PDB file of all heavy atoms in Angstrom:
ATOM      1  N   LYS J  18      -3.204 -35.894 -58.939  1.00  0.00           N
ATOM      2  CA  LYS J  18      -4.323 -35.976 -59.883  1.00  0.00           C
ATOM      3  C   LYS J  18      -3.960 -35.371 -61.228  1.00  0.00           C
ATOM      4  O   LYS J  18      -4.225 -35.955 -62.285  1.00  0.00           O
ATOM      5  CB  LYS J  18      -5.547 -35.256 -59.310  1.00  0.00           C
ATOM      6  CG  LYS J  18      -6.767 -35.301 -60.210  1.00  0.00           C
ATOM      7  CD  LYS J  18      -7.900 -34.456 -59.664  1.00  0.00           C
ATOM      8  CE  LYS J  18      -8.368 -34.989 -58.330  1.00  0.00           C
ATOM      9  NZ  LYS J  18      -9.530 -34.208 -57.805  1.00  0.00           N
ATOM     10  N   PHE J  21      -1.295 -37.658 -62.903  1.00  0.00           N
ATOM     11  CA  PHE J  21      -1.914 -38.895 -63.365  1.00  0.00           C
ATOM     12  C   PHE J  21      -2.789 -38.645 -64.586  1.00  0.00           C
ATOM     13  O   PHE J  21      -2.742 -39.412 -65.565  1.00  0.00           O
ATOM     14  CB  PHE J  21      -2.743 -39.500 -62.228  1.00  0.00           C
ATOM     15  CG  PHE J  21      -3.373 -40.819 -62.560  1.00  0.00           C
ATOM     16  CD1 PHE J  21      -2.671 -41.999 -62.395  1.00  0.00           C
ATOM     17  CD2 PHE J  21      -4.680 -40.879 -63.033  1.00  0.00           C
ATOM     18  CE1 PHE J  21      -3.245 -43.227 -62.701  1.00  0.00           C
ATOM     19  CE2 PHE J  21      -5.266 -42.102 -63.343  1.00  0.00           C
ATOM     20  CZ  PHE J  21      -4.549 -43.277 -63.170  1.00  0.00           C
ATOM     21  N   SER J  24      -0.766 -38.095 -67.651  1.00  0.00           N
ATOM     22  CA  SER J  24      -0.102 -39.328 -68.059  1.00  0.00           C
ATOM     23  C   SER J  24      -1.064 -40.327 -68.685  1.00  0.00           C
ATOM     24  O   SER J  24      -0.631 -41.325 -69.269  1.00  0.00           O
ATOM     25  CB  SER J  24       0.590 -39.980 -66.849  1.00  0.00           C
ATOM     26  OG  SER J  24       1.583 -39.118 -66.319  1.00  0.00           O
ATOM     27  N   LEU J  27      -2.314 -37.828 -72.651  1.00  0.00           N
ATOM     28  CA  LEU J  27      -1.354 -37.687 -73.751  1.00  0.00           C
ATOM     29  C   LEU J  27      -1.009 -39.020 -74.423  1.00  0.00           C
ATOM     30  O   LEU J  27      -1.001 -39.106 -75.655  1.00  0.00           O
ATOM     31  CB  LEU J  27      -0.095 -36.975 -73.267  1.00  0.00           C
ATOM     32  CG  LEU J  27      -0.145 -35.444 -73.236  1.00  0.00           C
ATOM     33  CD1 LEU J  27       1.215 -34.871 -72.883  1.00  0.00           C
ATOM     34  CD2 LEU J  27      -0.617 -34.886 -74.555  1.00  0.00           C
ATOM     35  N   ARG J  32      -1.788 -42.707 -79.009  1.00  0.00           N
ATOM     36  CA  ARG J  32      -2.142 -44.066 -79.433  1.00  0.00           C
ATOM     37  C   ARG J  32      -3.227 -44.055 -80.508  1.00  0.00           C
ATOM     38  O   ARG J  32      -3.189 -44.866 -81.456  1.00  0.00           O
ATOM     39  CB  ARG J  32      -2.636 -44.873 -78.220  1.00  0.00           C
ATOM     40  CG  ARG J  32      -3.025 -46.312 -78.545  1.00  0.00           C
ATOM     41  CD  ARG J  32      -1.804 -47.110 -78.921  1.00  0.00           C
ATOM     42  NE  ARG J  32      -2.125 -48.504 -79.227  1.00  0.00           N
ATOM     43  CZ  ARG J  32      -2.414 -48.967 -80.443  1.00  0.00           C
ATOM     44  NH1 ARG J  32      -2.404 -48.134 -81.477  1.00  0.00           N
ATOM     45  NH2 ARG J  32      -2.694 -50.240 -80.629  1.00  0.00           N
ATOM     46  N   LEU J  35      -4.400 -38.988 -82.665  1.00  0.00           N
ATOM     47  CA  LEU J  35      -4.928 -37.635 -82.615  1.00  0.00           C
ATOM     48  C   LEU J  35      -3.826 -36.591 -82.489  1.00  0.00           C
ATOM     49  O   LEU J  35      -4.057 -35.407 -82.708  1.00  0.00           O
ATOM     50  CB  LEU J  35      -5.915 -37.496 -81.444  1.00  0.00           C
ATOM     51  CG  LEU J  35      -7.133 -38.427 -81.510  1.00  0.00           C
ATOM     52  CD1 LEU J  35      -7.994 -38.258 -80.273  1.00  0.00           C
ATOM     53  CD2 LEU J  35      -7.953 -38.139 -82.775  1.00  0.00           C
ATOM     54  N   PRO J  57       9.850 -30.399 -73.131  1.00  0.00           N
ATOM     55  CA  PRO J  57      10.228 -30.901 -71.797  1.00  0.00           C
ATOM     56  C   PRO J  57       9.026 -31.264 -70.935  1.00  0.00           C
ATOM     57  O   PRO J  57       9.117 -32.179 -70.101  1.00  0.00           O
ATOM     58  CB  PRO J  57      11.016 -29.727 -71.201  1.00  0.00           C
ATOM     59  CG  PRO J  57      11.558 -29.001 -72.388  1.00  0.00           C
ATOM     60  CD  PRO J  57      10.488 -29.101 -73.426  1.00  0.00           C
ATOM     61  N   PHE J  72       1.580 -53.209 -71.174  1.00  0.00           N
ATOM     62  CA  PHE J  72       1.644 -53.712 -69.803  1.00  0.00           C
ATOM     63  C   PHE J  72       2.569 -52.843 -68.952  1.00  0.00           C
ATOM     64  O   PHE J  72       2.256 -52.516 -67.798  1.00  0.00           O
ATOM     65  CB  PHE J  72       2.115 -55.160 -69.795  1.00  0.00           C
ATOM     66  CG  PHE J  72       2.207 -55.763 -68.424  1.00  0.00           C
ATOM     67  CD1 PHE J  72       1.072 -56.017 -67.682  1.00  0.00           C
ATOM     68  CD2 PHE J  72       3.444 -56.063 -67.867  1.00  0.00           C
ATOM     69  CE1 PHE J  72       1.151 -56.576 -66.407  1.00  0.00           C
ATOM     70  CE2 PHE J  72       3.539 -56.614 -66.597  1.00  0.00           C
ATOM     71  CZ  PHE J  72       2.395 -56.871 -65.867  1.00  0.00           C
ATOM     72  N   GLN J 145       5.362 -55.625 -50.543  1.00  0.00           N
ATOM     73  CA  GLN J 145       5.184 -56.883 -51.266  1.00  0.00           C
ATOM     74  C   GLN J 145       5.463 -56.675 -52.742  1.00  0.00           C
ATOM     75  O   GLN J 145       5.102 -55.656 -53.316  1.00  0.00           O
ATOM     76  CB  GLN J 145       3.774 -57.425 -51.076  1.00  0.00           C
ATOM     77  CG  GLN J 145       3.480 -57.931 -49.676  1.00  0.00           C
ATOM     78  CD  GLN J 145       2.135 -58.627 -49.587  1.00  0.00           C
ATOM     79  OE1 GLN J 145       1.260 -58.420 -50.413  1.00  0.00           O
ATOM     80  NE2 GLN J 145       1.978 -59.456 -48.573  1.00  0.00           N
ATOM     81  N   GLN J 151       8.471 -60.502 -50.120  1.00  0.00           N
ATOM     82  CA  GLN J 151       8.413 -59.370 -49.202  1.00  0.00           C
ATOM     83  C   GLN J 151       9.832 -58.935 -48.844  1.00  0.00           C
ATOM     84  O   GLN J 151      10.716 -59.774 -48.650  1.00  0.00           O
ATOM     85  CB  GLN J 151       7.643 -59.719 -47.924  1.00  0.00           C
ATOM     86  CG  GLN J 151       6.174 -60.038 -48.150  1.00  0.00           C
ATOM     87  CD  GLN J 151       5.447 -60.323 -46.845  1.00  0.00           C
ATOM     88  OE1 GLN J 151       6.071 -60.529 -45.800  1.00  0.00           O
ATOM     89  NE2 GLN J 151       4.126 -60.334 -46.900  1.00  0.00           N
ATOM     90  N   PRO J 158      13.310 -49.927 -55.130  1.00  0.00           N
ATOM     91  CA  PRO J 158      13.823 -49.332 -56.382  1.00  0.00           C
ATOM     92  C   PRO J 158      14.867 -50.201 -57.053  1.00  0.00           C
ATOM     93  O   PRO J 158      14.905 -50.298 -58.291  1.00  0.00           O
ATOM     94  CB  PRO J 158      14.415 -47.992 -55.918  1.00  0.00           C
ATOM     95  CG  PRO J 158      13.730 -47.682 -54.633  1.00  0.00           C
ATOM     96  CD  PRO J 158      13.493 -49.002 -53.989  1.00  0.00           C
ATOM     97  N   PHE J 187      18.921 -36.574 -50.622  1.00  0.00           N
ATOM     98  CA  PHE J 187      20.163 -36.199 -49.962  1.00  0.00           C
ATOM     99  C   PHE J 187      20.196 -34.704 -49.659  1.00  0.00           C
ATOM    100  O   PHE J 187      20.548 -34.289 -48.546  1.00  0.00           O
ATOM    101  CB  PHE J 187      21.350 -36.584 -50.837  1.00  0.00           C
ATOM    102  CG  PHE J 187      22.679 -36.243 -50.236  1.00  0.00           C
ATOM    103  CD1 PHE J 187      23.268 -37.082 -49.308  1.00  0.00           C
ATOM    104  CD2 PHE J 187      23.351 -35.074 -50.593  1.00  0.00           C
ATOM    105  CE1 PHE J 187      24.491 -36.764 -48.740  1.00  0.00           C
ATOM    106  CE2 PHE J 187      24.573 -34.750 -50.035  1.00  0.00           C
ATOM    107  CZ  PHE J 187      25.153 -35.598 -49.099  1.00  0.00           C
ATOM    108  N   SER J 206       8.693 -19.060 -53.046  1.00  0.00           N
ATOM    109  CA  SER J 206       7.447 -18.506 -52.506  1.00  0.00           C
ATOM    110  C   SER J 206       6.313 -18.520 -53.519  1.00  0.00           C
ATOM    111  O   SER J 206       5.145 -18.579 -53.146  1.00  0.00           O
ATOM    112  CB  SER J 206       7.686 -17.075 -52.008  1.00  0.00           C
ATOM    113  OG  SER J 206       8.151 -16.248 -53.068  1.00  0.00           O
ATOM    114  N   PHE J 208       5.398 -20.848 -55.360  1.00  0.00           N
ATOM    115  CA  PHE J 208       4.668 -22.110 -55.247  1.00  0.00           C
ATOM    116  C   PHE J 208       3.594 -21.999 -54.172  1.00  0.00           C
ATOM    117  O   PHE J 208       2.481 -22.515 -54.352  1.00  0.00           O
ATOM    118  CB  PHE J 208       5.631 -23.255 -54.909  1.00  0.00           C
ATOM    119  CG  PHE J 208       6.430 -23.752 -56.079  1.00  0.00           C
ATOM    120  CD1 PHE J 208       7.447 -22.984 -56.634  1.00  0.00           C
ATOM    121  CD2 PHE J 208       6.170 -24.991 -56.632  1.00  0.00           C
ATOM    122  CE1 PHE J 208       8.197 -23.443 -57.703  1.00  0.00           C
ATOM    123  CE2 PHE J 208       6.907 -25.466 -57.706  1.00  0.00           C
ATOM    124  CZ  PHE J 208       7.920 -24.693 -58.255  1.00  0.00           C
ATOM    125  N   ARG J 210       2.084 -19.337 -53.294  1.00  0.00           N
ATOM    126  CA  ARG J 210       1.058 -18.399 -53.733  1.00  0.00           C
ATOM    127  C   ARG J 210      -0.080 -19.123 -54.426  1.00  0.00           C
ATOM    128  O   ARG J 210      -1.248 -18.766 -54.275  1.00  0.00           O
ATOM    129  CB  ARG J 210       1.675 -17.357 -54.660  1.00  0.00           C
ATOM    130  CG  ARG J 210       0.764 -16.190 -55.020  1.00  0.00           C
ATOM    131  CD  ARG J 210       1.486 -15.189 -55.891  1.00  0.00           C
ATOM    132  NE  ARG J 210       2.764 -14.785 -55.290  1.00  0.00           N
ATOM    133  CZ  ARG J 210       3.694 -14.102 -55.928  1.00  0.00           C
ATOM    134  NH1 ARG J 210       3.498 -13.756 -57.204  1.00  0.00           N
ATOM    135  NH2 ARG J 210       4.810 -13.755 -55.319  1.00  0.00           N
ATOM    136  N   ARG J 216      -4.157 -27.153 -43.314  1.00  0.00           N
ATOM    137  CA  ARG J 216      -4.098 -27.935 -42.081  1.00  0.00           C
ATOM    138  C   ARG J 216      -5.284 -28.885 -42.036  1.00  0.00           C
ATOM    139  O   ARG J 216      -6.284 -28.666 -42.699  1.00  0.00           O
ATOM    140  CB  ARG J 216      -4.132 -27.030 -40.837  1.00  0.00           C
ATOM    141  CG  ARG J 216      -2.901 -26.135 -40.714  1.00  0.00           C
ATOM    142  CD  ARG J 216      -2.942 -25.349 -39.418  1.00  0.00           C
ATOM    143  NE  ARG J 216      -1.759 -24.510 -39.272  1.00  0.00           N
ATOM    144  CZ  ARG J 216      -0.617 -24.912 -38.768  1.00  0.00           C
ATOM    145  NH1 ARG J 216      -0.502 -26.152 -38.350  1.00  0.00           N
ATOM    146  NH2 ARG J 216       0.409 -24.099 -38.659  1.00  0.00           N
ATOM    147  N   PHE J 222       1.265 -42.354 -45.680  1.00  0.00           N
ATOM    148  CA  PHE J 222       2.438 -43.167 -45.389  1.00  0.00           C
ATOM    149  C   PHE J 222       3.656 -42.282 -45.176  1.00  0.00           C
ATOM    150  O   PHE J 222       4.036 -41.537 -46.054  1.00  0.00           O
ATOM    151  CB  PHE J 222       2.712 -44.124 -46.553  1.00  0.00           C
ATOM    152  CG  PHE J 222       1.662 -45.178 -46.720  1.00  0.00           C
ATOM    153  CD1 PHE J 222       0.485 -44.903 -47.391  1.00  0.00           C
ATOM    154  CD2 PHE J 222       1.856 -46.441 -46.196  1.00  0.00           C
ATOM    155  CE1 PHE J 222      -0.485 -45.882 -47.553  1.00  0.00           C
ATOM    156  CE2 PHE J 222       0.893 -47.427 -46.357  1.00  0.00           C
ATOM    157  CZ  PHE J 222      -0.281 -47.143 -47.030  1.00  0.00           C
ATOM    158  N   GLN J 237      22.620 -42.792 -29.009  1.00  0.00           N
ATOM    159  CA  GLN J 237      23.476 -43.537 -29.908  1.00  0.00           C
ATOM    160  C   GLN J 237      22.718 -44.625 -30.652  1.00  0.00           C
ATOM    161  O   GLN J 237      23.298 -45.592 -31.113  1.00  0.00           O
ATOM    162  CB  GLN J 237      24.638 -44.180 -29.141  1.00  0.00           C
ATOM    163  CG  GLN J 237      25.544 -43.175 -28.461  1.00  0.00           C
ATOM    164  CD  GLN J 237      26.257 -42.279 -29.469  1.00  0.00           C
ATOM    165  OE1 GLN J 237      26.676 -42.725 -30.522  1.00  0.00           O
ATOM    166  NE2 GLN J 237      26.365 -41.005 -29.146  1.00  0.00           N
ATOM    167  N   ARG J 243       9.543 -38.202 -36.448  1.00  0.00           N
ATOM    168  CA  ARG J 243       9.006 -37.016 -37.108  1.00  0.00           C
ATOM    169  C   ARG J 243      10.065 -35.937 -37.121  1.00  0.00           C
ATOM    170  O   ARG J 243      10.554 -35.515 -36.097  1.00  0.00           O
ATOM    171  CB  ARG J 243       7.751 -36.525 -36.387  1.00  0.00           C
ATOM    172  CG  ARG J 243       7.127 -35.298 -37.044  1.00  0.00           C
ATOM    173  CD  ARG J 243       5.807 -34.935 -36.389  1.00  0.00           C
ATOM    174  NE  ARG J 243       4.836 -35.982 -36.539  1.00  0.00           N
ATOM    175  CZ  ARG J 243       4.048 -36.103 -37.598  1.00  0.00           C
ATOM    176  NH1 ARG J 243       4.168 -35.247 -38.603  1.00  0.00           N
ATOM    177  NH2 ARG J 243       3.178 -37.080 -37.673  1.00  0.00           N
TER     178      ARG J 243
END
Side-chain angles (χ1 to χ4, degrees):
K18 181 186 297 183
F21 183 86
S24 299
L27 277 186
R32 180 68 179 92
L35 300 177
F72 180 69
Q145 290 188 339
Q151 296 182 346
F187 180 82
S206 59
F208 282 71
R210 189 178 308 168
R216 295 184 179 275
F222 293 82
Q237 298 296 321
R243 181 174 297 274

